[in-house]
Amino acid sequence: MSAHDHDREEGLAFQPKFDASGLVTCVATDAANGDVLMIAHMNDEALRKTIATGEAWYFSRSRNALWRKGESSGQTQRVIEMRTDCDQDAIWIRVEQTGAACHTGRRSCFYRAVTYDDGDTALSFVDADRLFDPDKVYRK
């Protein structure tokens, strides 16, 4: 292990390790019950804004744009705690979620279970009730 790796893994300096696209993966969980709400990406600016404001900011790869969670939908995330993993290439935020985390209107983006039966893989809905109608909120 190089001195730099040791410092990143054992030291107290925050040194996020962005990928080749300048992004770090972020997992958002509910601070109250631990449910995984969503996984998104942050660039340096999103990470800095999240730290400075206490609100979750992300970088949309599909829109190539910075966005604050809830700016369109009102479904905001207040950051309670932020952690990084051992090599600082992933972020975990524990949040107070207002309403739904998923753009489909569901509380979590993880509303389908993968099932396997006799060689067949399928999906089934779990905890899939919508908290809002995305067509109305996002005016699609």
Side-chain angles (χ1 to χ4, degrees):
M1 178 183 307
S2 73
H4 183 68
D5 289 340
H6 184 268
D7 184 46
R8 180 172 265 140
E9 293 177 3
E10 300 296 332
L12 297 179
F14 185 46
Q15 303 171 356
K17 189 174 170 183
F18 297 96
D19 67 14
S21 299
L23 302 174
V24 62
T25 301
C26 179
V27 178
T29 62
D30 187 301
N33 63 21
D35 286 351
V36 177
L37 298 174
M38 58 182 280
I39 295 177
H41 297 89
M42 293 179 168
N43 64 1
D44 182 63
E45 185 178 6
L47 187 55
R48 283 187 285 109
K49 283 181 173 278
T50 299
I51 292 166
T53 66
E55 296 181 332
W57 286 78
Y58 299 105
F59 185 82
S60 170
R61 295 178 299 174
S62 60
R63 294 187 313 251
N64 197 34
L66 186 71
W67 59 283
R68 182 180 55 82
K69 180 66 178 163
E71 66 188 343
S72 300
S73 66
Q75 314 295 302
T76 60
Q77 293 178 340
R78 186 170 77 84
V79 178
I80 303 302
E81 181 182 31
M82 178 183 286
R83 295 187 188 188
T84 188
D85 71 335
C86 54
D87 57 357
Q88 298 196 44
D89 66 355
I91 301 294
W92 170 26
I93 55 175
R94 295 177 58 242
V95 302
E96 280 183 355
Q97 176 68 52
T98 299
C102 186
H103 73 280
T104 66
R106 295 177 175 94
R107 174 88 176 136
S108 168
C109 294
F110 295 89
Y111 55 87
R112 292 174 294 179
V114 178
T115 59
Y116 182 77
D117 184 32
D118 198 29
D120 292 324
T121 307
L123 297 177
S124 62
F125 286 98
V126 293
D127 302 322
D129 294 340
R130 290 185 199 270
L131 301 180
F132 69 84
D133 180 345
D135 290 336
K136 290 181 181 171
V137 169
Y138 299 115
R139 292 171 178 72
K140 292 182 180 179

